[in-house]
Amino acid sequence: MQSLCVYCGSSAGMTDEYAKGAKQLAAAMVARNIALVYGGGNVGLMGIIADEVLRLGGNVTGVIPQALMDKEVGHTGLSQLHIVSNMHERKAMMAELSDGFVAMPGGIGTLEELFEMFTWSQLGFHEKPLGLLNIHGFYDSLVDFLQHTVNAGFLKQEHLALLHNEADPLTLLDALQQAHPPHLTKWINQDDL
């Protein structure tokens, strides 16, 4: 695994544990020479993980729509910054540049990005691993709800198993790397959908 897309909040959240977890994930990625791909922001957990990867000598690629750059929330000190025209292009480019996906704590945008990649994985549109970095139990209720969708007959257990759930960044990276196919043979172009 050479690059990892990290979805996370444009807020730092209400506890320092989230920032601590972001820094721990950054350190684990740099130690394994895994580049960060993310939404290109300089605020919240987005800015924290990007700054930490850069501080530790890692590579960071940001992808941000022009409208957000205009609001001055774009990070201008990255290894690479791609400015795109809209959110659809942003998500497609982030997915194409990444070998896997992780959601740290975040809001609706983080969940939307995670669930799009989760859905595409379930449908076989890609074979890239995905996971939750469940810092401070942030995703416990979501994991319980997803199990409820299995129990209610709306999600298969083997599809739920596609989403790795770990509190420790190193354990999560281990799980993702073990799930990472040696040759990523499938990636469906969005234009084909």
Side-chain angles (χ1 to χ4, degrees):
M1 184 175 297
Q2 297 180 340
S3 61
L4 188 63
C5 180
V6 177
Y7 305 125
C8 57
S10 58
S11 168
M14 300 292 285
T15 172
D16 292 341
E17 292 299 315
Y18 302 137
K20 180 180 172 184
K23 290 178 180 180
Q24 289 172 342
L25 178 59
M29 290 173 64
V30 172
R32 295 184 185 201
N33 201 28
I34 299 172
L36 170 65
V37 177
Y38 84 117
N42 63 7
V43 293
L45 293 181
M46 295 175 74
I48 291 168
I49 191 168
D51 287 342
E52 189 67 3
V53 170
L54 291 168
R55 187 184 74 78
L56 295 171
N59 187 285
V60 180
T61 298
V63 184
I64 191 167
Q66 182 66 57
L68 293 180
M69 280 301 292
D70 294 344
K71 292 183 178 183
E72 299 181 354
V73 297
H75 198 307
T76 57
L78 304 177
S79 309
Q80 298 90 29
L81 179 64
H82 300 279
I83 301 174
V84 296
S85 60
N86 57 52
M87 292 293 284
H88 295 293
E89 286 183 32
R90 177 197 213 181
K91 292 189 296 179
M93 181 176 283
M94 289 168 66
E96 289 169 11
L97 293 172
S98 304
D99 296 326
F101 309 95
V102 165
M104 291 194 325
I108 295 300
T110 299
L111 294 173
E112 187 267 338
E113 291 168 320
L114 167 71
F115 277 107
E116 183 172 58
M117 289 302 104
F118 193 6
T119 301
W120 289 13
S121 179
Q122 175 187 346
L123 295 173
F125 293 167
H126 73 84
E127 297 177 337
K128 300 178 182 186
L130 65 155
L132 301 171
L133 183 56
N134 195 359
I135 301 167
H136 200 59
F138 181 82
Y139 282 116
D140 287 352
S141 296
L142 176 63
V143 171
D144 289 344
F145 176 75
L146 290 172
Q147 186 60 56
H148 170 67
T149 66
V150 171
N151 298 341
F154 292 101
L155 179 65
K156 293 180 181 176
Q157 188 67 50
E158 61 263 29
H159 291 148
L160 179 55
L162 295 170
L163 182 64
H164 300 273
N165 171 34
E166 300 291 346
D168 176 68
L170 288 171
T171 305
L172 180 59
L173 289 181
D174 286 342
L176 296 179
Q177 289 185 304
Q178 289 172 6
H180 187 258
H183 299 87
L184 293 174
T185 56
K186 285 187 179 178
W187 181 259
I188 305 259
N189 190 308
Q190 268 195 320
D191 296 337
D192 297 333
L193 302 179

